[in-house]
Amino acid sequence: MADWKSRARRRAAEKKEGDRYKLTAGSNCFRILPNKQDPKDAPFLEFRMHRDVGPDKGFVRCGKTIDMRGSCWLCDSQIPKLLKSSKPSARKQVELLSPQDCFLVQISPVDLEEPDPKKQFRPAKPFWVSSKTVQAALLGLLASPRRSYEHPSKGFNISIERTGTGMRDTRYGPPEPDSEPTRVPSHILETMKTLEELAPVYSQEEQKNKFFGRATEDTDDEPELEDDDAPFEEENEAEPQDDEEEYEEESEEDEEEESSASSS
């Protein structure tokens, strides 16, 4: 294949993926990269996210850690208020707002169709793993005492097969490491960022803006929802309109209280 065709295919794949890596239908091959800040430290980051926040269904980072330490405006202020309500719409909102665990690794997508091994690796991308099944499988590999899957020269590429495209029909095969290690080119390692740079930052103000539907300049796309981490699904009939209106009134009262507190 002509060199320019290979370049065009690589560039097309990069543009299709976007800024974040996603598992697509079919076979997906990638290499987990080491922690840029400290290669001896964990190559992953765990945090929590709130989804379906406010009228625009936004997503924001939870202020609490995985073991629920720290403070978070949604967890400490808004969710407790909703739990006190007997309205079905409030209970549904709690399900939507409850934080979900997120698992972040930095990877290099591997193009198995590229005949030159040195050109198979593409620039580093963040991989937000929301599927609990995939999270557990990758953690199991990374915890192996026999192999360092993230090592830049002694590590192993990993392949995962995905079937289906929706939250209901998507399934994943077990991660399958290569039988032989491969070296990640230095120019790929130079595209890495720290995990902290790739993860969202908790902001109480951002949570309030999302919750109350205030306009912001945030244009980040929400990480793809996987099948076993789908948000609360409305399988039953819609709740009566008066319940929805009452919840909207409660939110407006909260916003009025906040405005009064900030002006005093």
Side-chain angles (χ1 to χ4, degrees), residues 122-177:
R122 297 207 295 271
K125 289 180 180 290
F127 180 19
W128 291 43
V129 187
S130 57
S131 165
K132 295 182 179 66
T133 303
V134 179
Q135 285 183 21
L138 291 181
L139 277 170
L141 288 178
L142 292 172
S144 171
R146 295 177 298 172
R147 288 182 172 182
S148 296
Y149 287 91
E150 77 286 358
H151 196 282
S153 60
K154 301 177 182 179
F156 297 76
N157 298 339
I158 298 171
S159 295
I160 296 179
E161 185 80 18
R162 171 175 175 166
T163 59
T165 57
M167 289 188 294
R168 293 181 182 276
D169 67 345
T170 296
R171 296 293 181 270
Y172 299 100
E176 297 182 359

Side-chain angles (χ1 to χ4, degrees), residues 176-195:
E176 297 182 359
D178 284 356
S179 58
E180 298 293 333
T182 49
R183 177 183 294 274
V184 180
S186 58
H187 70 275
I188 296 297
L189 297 175
E190 291 173 359
T191 65
M192 292 172 55
K193 297 181 179 180
T194 66
L195 293 173

